[in-house]
Amino acid sequence: MNANGHDRRLEEVAAYAIGALDPGQVAELERHLAGCERCQEELRWLAPAVGALPEAVERQAPPPELKQRLMAEVRGDAAAEEERGGLGEWLGGLNVGGLTWKPLAGLALVVLVIAGGIGYAVGNGGGSGGAHTTEVEPGANGIAAKVVTEDERGELHLAGVKPLPNGRVLEAWVERDGIVEAVPALFAPDQAGRASTTIESMKDVTAVMVTREPAGGSNKPTTKPIVEVPIET
Amino acid sequence: MPWIGRKDAEAFEVFYDRHGGAAYSLAYRILGERGAAEDCIQEAFISIWRSGGRFDPTRGSVRSWTLSIVRNRAIDVLRGRAGKAPKLTFDDEEVLESRPSGELTEEEAMRHETATEVRGALSHLPDEQSKVIQLAYFGGFSQSEIAAMLNLPLGTVKGRMRLGLEKIRGELAEGLA
């Protein structure tokens, strides 16, 4: 390419650097740039000039509400990400629909020990035929849980549940003989953060847990439990 | 920016505190409306947050990368509007920073210095060069569109754009010397 031809290219590089090259010319220039050190050097040279242009703009203070909205979305994303990450770990030992749920063999003991993480369970009553209550104190997410079992019927009560995002419900699950089953009745917290559901049969149940699920519920847990209650058998 | 991959919300807040002001100012300069500028910033910063760390440090600073994302988003909004009507002024006062220098941190002071240099460089440019650069960068117009708008031959616009950018770059280089 002769000098005049390259001057034309250098003009195109300047336009490319500032984002003003006509769209139909971009691909051709990029092909040229890939093999032309002189044009690459020109692009590198001009980049700070283009990058400095916004610094000269009159400074406007963004409204505080903008940051609040942005960070609310970011924190929501981060929480969802954490749930997804935790779910993978949680499901690592969990099989739903006929396979065993290995961690729960020792979960009751673990939950009792890790009081700071999940809470701990307290049983009372417990006489055959009488009511038996198992409580889990608030963990890091502030949710407390109580399962009241009488005869074979159970009532699950939660407190400290934050409002659910649109399109989400609470779904309870029970582990019975190593198999995880969904509790049919979906539920949601009230304005005070309380939520309750009924478990029709607590026979042989060794743990109750709750997850946030899409409206209509899920066939298997899709998020990490917000609470887990080991049941003494 | 490894915190993007880690989804560290606290680090992201620091990142916003550091660059959000410049980003919002740029969006407002391009869009000319506070509501549109806020939407632009929200979308641009969320795209950065969700990008999973596509930033390439070999191609410039985090700040220039961030501002280029904001600029592109704002220009997209501008182009999406019926009868594209960017807020463009050619008054030198438009590019003055208003904060007193006593409030600036060292990092901000360097940016203030850069802003002063760029402002100086822009003010030293012949009007015809400054105009094509501002139409291109803040208006999102292509060379052909600028040529049609100003009723100039395309070659003239190309030449003015390159000369103007070269002069700004030269003044920045002198400032660093």
Side-chain angles (χ1 to χ4, degrees), chain A residues 100-119:
Chain A
T100 57
W101 189 5
K102 295 173 192 170
L104 279 183
L107 181 61
L109 178 60
V110 171
V111 170
L112 281 165
V113 172
I114 309 174
I118 307 175

Side-chain angles (χ1 to χ4, degrees), chain A residues 90-91 94-98 169 171-174 179-184 186 211-223:
Chain A
W90 180 63
L91 289 176
L94 167 66
N95 284 298
V96 182
V169 295
E171 186 163 4
W173 310 85
V174 294
I179 298 171
V180 177
E181 303 166 7
V183 174
L186 303 172
T211 61
R212 285 191 285 255
E213 300 295 335
S218 303
N219 293 327
K220 60 182 180 181
T222 64
T223 63

Side-chain angles (χ1 to χ4, degrees), chain A:
Chain A
M1 184 176 290
N2 60 32
N4 283 342
H6 231 116
D7 279 350
R8 181 177 65 80
R9 285 296 191 198
L10 293 174
E11 286 177 346
E12 288 177 357
V13 168
Y16 180 75
I18 202 171
L21 191 63
D22 288 305
Q25 295 178 287
V26 170
E28 185 193 341
L29 180 67
E30 286 180 341
R31 279 195 297 274
H32 172 78
L33 272 168
C36 179
E37 284 195 15
R38 187 180 168 198
C39 285
Q40 289 173 21
E41 181 59 31
E42 179 73 1
L43 187 60
R44 280 194 293 271
W45 164 253
L46 290 178
V50 176
L53 288 173
E55 301 291 352
V57 169
E58 181 184 13
R59 191 56 62 95
Q60 305 283 335
E65 299 78 24
L66 173 58
K67 180 178 173 180
Q68 288 166 8
R69 286 198 301 273
L70 180 65
M71 290 311 300
E73 194 165 349
V74 163
R75 292 201 172 95
D77 264 13
E81 187 76 19
E82 193 178 331
E83 274 189 359
R84 281 192 292 273
L87 177 67
E89 189 179 326
W90 180 63
L91 289 176
L94 167 66
N95 284 298
V96 182
L99 299 177
T100 57
W101 189 5
K102 295 173 192 170
L104 279 183
L107 181 61
L109 178 60
V110 171
V111 170
L112 281 165
V113 172
I114 309 174
I118 307 175
Y120 60 89
V122 178
N124 61 36
S128 63
H132 183 278
T133 301
T134 304
E135 293 184 59
V136 173
E137 291 200 344
N141 60 10
I143 299 174
K146 179 168 71 177
V147 175
V148 181
T149 307
E150 188 163 10
D151 298 325
E152 287 196 353
R153 190 181 172 92
E155 291 287 338
L156 169 65
H157 303 282
L158 304 180
V161 183
K162 291 175 184 164
L164 297 174
N166 286 339
R168 289 271 168 171
V169 295
L170 296 177
E171 186 163 4
W173 310 85
V174 294
E175 189 259 345
R176 198 188 328 260
D177 296 330
I179 298 171
V180 177
E181 303 166 7
V183 174
L186 303 172
F187 59 122
D190 62 17
Q191 288 187 336
R194 292 185 296 259
S196 298
T197 191
T198 300
I199 301 164
E200 291 298 333
S201 173
M202 288 293 291
K203 184 174 169 42
D204 298 327
V205 168
T206 53
V208 176
M209 64 235 86
V210 178
T211 61
R212 285 191 285 255
E213 300 295 335
S218 303
N219 293 327
K220 60 182 180 181
T222 64
T223 63
K224 188 182 177 187
I226 59 173
V227 69
E228 300 173 1
V229 184
I231 306 296
E232 292 177 27
T233 54

